[in-house]
């Protein structure tokens, strides 16, 4: 019965520790799987954010430093220009922090058929896109073609496929753009070379539009420094609202993914703490009951053998020898119980979690602990028994 009590205690402790360890392994596996799935979702959301940011359009403007920006915005006319050669030189440098280079020429133009002024926007098409799979933000307009803002198309009563005379040349209308509620509604978009010829500004451009990488959003200094190394007379400004929107969208996506993982980790940690408390309470209760049972069994055994103890003492056996005899038996019973309990725990774990890893360190610790508890439980009644006078014990009725 003593060995059985030790076996039950060892089984409960071993099973509890292994089940907690298995729960920790499952938690780590689930967290890794969740992080992998979250990374996949985050990558997808990052791509959505990239597309969203792309829909916001360019967020960098490069123009001649001598040009007063307020004049350009108010009058849509340049006083100082960059050259198309400078734009191609910048594209050839392949700056990592600046993408989607679009040289453009923008100028007011009196169009009699419109009965007023329109804005001519000459676009060559994007001359640098960092990644080959990326799509341009602005379509390339071929020579001899023109795209109309919604107000221009409506007032001129033209549609796609019609021919429109501008200056001394005729152009084919390839697109009538949707209303935007901005100046673009009164813009005629044409090929950059056609616009330069129409305005008499060969080789000149108003500026270069670009898209900064996410790492540079909100920090225009490194972009300005890199651009001015290539085009010394250039100035760089950022459309801060668009840049901030891109940066905020990506940061929100990353924060959401990290919060999802953190919630799962916190939930698993809370559950683990509850399981740990329950396991410790259950295993502690079993150990306490086993210790009490050992004390009862050893006390009963010593009481039944009190006459044998008295006879041995009368024959000259020393007290220490008697104590050693009983404690050695207690240790042997505890060792047998530890082996039985460990084997039982491994069998139970194999059924519950399909794996039962054997830990020699844990087995040794439990063996030592079981022997100490068993020895202590036997030591108390033995010390009480050996202190009694042999004569008094032998005179007692059996």
């Amino acid at each position: 019965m003593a060995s059985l009590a030790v076996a039950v205690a060892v089984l409960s402790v071993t099973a509890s520790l292994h089940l907690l360890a298995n729960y920790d392994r499952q938690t780590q596996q689930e967290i890794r799987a969740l992080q992998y799935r979250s990374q996949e979702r985050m990558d997808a959301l990052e791509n959505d954010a990239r597309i969203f940011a792309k829909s916001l359009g360019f967020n960098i403007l490069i123009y001649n430093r001598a040009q007063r920006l307020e004049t350009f915005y108010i009058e849509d006319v340049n006083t100082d220009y960059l050259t198309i050669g400078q734009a191609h030189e910048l594209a050839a440098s392949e700056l990592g922090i600046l993408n989607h280079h679009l040289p453009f020429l923008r100028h007011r133009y009196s169009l009699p058929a419109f009965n007023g002024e329109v804005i001519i926007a000459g676009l060559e098409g994007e001359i640098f896109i960092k990644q080959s799979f990326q799509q341009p933000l602005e379509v390339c307009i071929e020579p001899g073609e023109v795209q109309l803002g919604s107000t221009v198309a409506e007032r001129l009563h033209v549609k796609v496929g019609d021919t429109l005379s501008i200056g001394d040349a005729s152009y084919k209308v390839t697109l009538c753009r949707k209303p935007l509620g901005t100046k673009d509604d009164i813009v005629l978009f044409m090929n950059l070379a056609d616009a330069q010829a129409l305005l008499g500004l060969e080789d000149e451009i108003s500026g270069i539009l670009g898209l900064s990488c996410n790492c540079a959003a909100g920090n225009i200094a490194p972009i300005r420094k890199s651009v001015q190394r290539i085009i010394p007379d250039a100035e760089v400004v950022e459309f801060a609202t668009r840049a901030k929107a891109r940066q905020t969208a990506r940061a929100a996506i990353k924060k959401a993914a990290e919060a999802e993982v953190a919630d799962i980790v916190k939930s698993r940690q809370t559950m683990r703490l509850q399981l740990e408390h329950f396991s410790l309470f259950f295993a502690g209760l079993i150990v306490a009951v086993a210790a009490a049972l050992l004390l009862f069994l050893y006390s009963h055994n010593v009481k039944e053998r009190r006459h044998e103890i008295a006879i041995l003492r009368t024959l000259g056996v020393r007290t220490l020898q008697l104590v050693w005899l009983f404690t050695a038996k207690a240790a042997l019973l505890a060792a047998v119980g530890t082996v039985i309990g460990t084997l039982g725990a491994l069998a139970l774990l194999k059924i519950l979690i399909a794996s039962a890893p054997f830990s020699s360190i844990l087995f040794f610790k439990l063996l030592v602990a079981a022997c100490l508890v068993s020895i202590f439980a036997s030591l108390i009644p033995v010390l009480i028994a050996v202190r009694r006078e042999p004569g008094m014990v032998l005179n007692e009725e059996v």
Side-chain angles (χ1 to χ4, degrees):
M1 289 187 66
S3 292
L4 183 60
V6 172
V8 171
V10 169
L11 186 149
S12 63
V13 172
T14 303
S16 297
L17 293 176
H18 277 85
L19 288 173
L20 285 174
N22 182 70
Y23 183 84
D24 291 339
R25 286 193 297 271
Q26 288 181 341
T27 298
Q28 292 301 320
Q29 290 173 357
E30 290 188 16
I31 290 174
R32 283 194 293 268
L34 178 63
Q35 288 174 332
Y36 179 76
R37 293 195 300 270
S38 295
Q39 186 61 46
E40 285 185 330
R41 288 196 294 269
M42 196 169 90
D43 289 343
L45 290 172
E46 278 275 3
N47 186 59
D48 292 341
R50 184 184 62 80
I51 295 173
F52 166 71
K54 181 179 174 181
S55 69
L56 293 176
F58 300 95
N59 64 347
I60 296 294
L61 171 62
I62 303 170
Y63 62 99
N64 193 308
R65 185 184 303 169
Q67 171 69 50
R68 295 184 62 179
L69 197 57
E70 65 273 20
T71 302
F72 174 71
Y73 282 149
I74 294 172
E75 301 179 4
D76 285 297
V77 174
N78 282 81
T79 56
D80 297 272
Y81 297 86
L82 296 177
T83 67
I84 191 63
Q86 290 174 318
H88 284 283
E89 186 179 356
L90 180 65
S93 68
E94 298 185 355
L95 291 179
I97 57 176
L98 191 61
N99 197 8
H100 294 278
H101 298 189
L102 178 69
F104 73 97
L105 175 63
R106 192 177 176 99
H107 203 286
R108 292 166 62 184
Y109 183 79
S110 180
L111 186 65
F114 185 74
N115 196 24
E117 289 187 327
V118 296
I119 300 173
I120 298 295
L123 306 175
E124 181 181 7
E126 293 174 29
I127 59 176
F128 172 68
I129 301 179
K130 185 163 56 176
Q131 300 293 343
S132 59
F133 64 85
Q134 293 178 323
Q135 298 298 316
L137 301 183
E138 183 66 62
V139 297
C140 178
I141 303 176
E142 300 297 332
E145 296 181 354
V146 67
Q147 297 179 6
L148 306 181
S150 61
T151 301
V152 177
E154 181 181 354
R155 191 174 297 179
L156 297 180
H157 304 289
V158 296
K159 59 184 182 299
V160 174
D162 290 348
T163 299
L164 181 65
S165 295
I166 306 174
D168 298 330
S170 296
Y171 300 88
K172 181 180 180 181
V173 179
T174 57
L175 178 67
C176 295
R177 301 196 176 194
K178 295 180 180 179
L180 297 176
T182 65
K183 279 187 176 182
D184 283 354
D185 290 343
I186 58 169
V187 173
L188 280 81
F189 299 89
M190 59 175 57
N191 181 266
L192 178 61
D194 289 345
Q196 290 170 334
L198 176 67
L199 299 170
L201 297 171
E202 284 76 8
D203 195 43
E204 294 183 328
I205 57 174
S206 299
I208 307 166
L209 293 173
L211 186 66
S212 65
C213 72
N214 192 51
C215 60
N219 183 13
I220 196 65
I223 299 177
R224 179 181 291 116
K225 184 177 180 181
S226 298
V227 170
Q228 288 178 346
R229 277 202 303 264
I230 302 165
I231 309 176
D233 58 342
E235 182 56 86
V236 181
V237 295
E238 180 180 43
F239 307 144
T241 302
R242 298 180 185 179
K244 186 176 181 180
R246 296 176 65 236
Q247 194 174 33
T248 302
R250 295 194 177 192
I253 289 167
K254 184 178 180 181
K255 184 178 179 180
E258 291 175 348
E260 184 179 6
V261 174
D263 287 343
I264 293 297
V265 171
K266 184 177 180 181
S267 175
R268 296 286 296 186
Q269 287 176 341
T270 302
M271 181 64 72
R272 205 271 184 194
L273 189 61
Q274 293 174 347
L275 287 174
E276 183 179 3
H277 289 166
F278 175 78
S279 298
L280 290 176
F281 173 78
F282 177 75
L285 181 63
I286 295 296
V287 170
V289 171
L293 181 58
L294 289 175
L295 180 60
F296 170 77
L297 291 172
Y298 292 145
S299 298
H300 182 71
N301 182 255
V302 170
K303 183 178 180 182
E304 286 185 336
R305 296 180 178 275
R306 66 186 183 278
H307 290 90
E308 297 176 28
I309 294 172
I311 292 171
L312 290 172
R313 289 189 63 198
T314 303
L315 293 174
V317 177
R318 290 180 299 173
T319 299
L320 187 61
Q321 290 177 297
L322 291 172
V323 172
W324 170 254
L325 178 65
F326 279 92
T327 53
K329 182 178 70 171
L332 180 60
L333 292 171
V336 173
T338 301
V339 173
I340 296 173
T342 301
L343 293 176
L346 294 177
L348 179 63
L349 290 169
K350 196 168 185 179
I351 296 173
L352 294 177
I353 60 177
S355 64
F358 177 77
S359 173
S360 57
I361 297 177
L362 177 61
F363 174 76
F364 178 75
K365 289 180 179 179
L366 290 175
L367 177 62
V368 172
C371 289
L372 290 176
V373 171
S374 184
I375 290 171
F376 184 76
S378 68
L379 195 59
I380 297 174
V382 170
L383 290 176
I384 293 173
V386 297
R387 295 185 56 159
R388 299 185 63 186
E389 288 295 331
M392 295 179 60
V393 175
L394 292 173
N395 286 331
E396 292 179 357
E397 294 183 0
V398 180

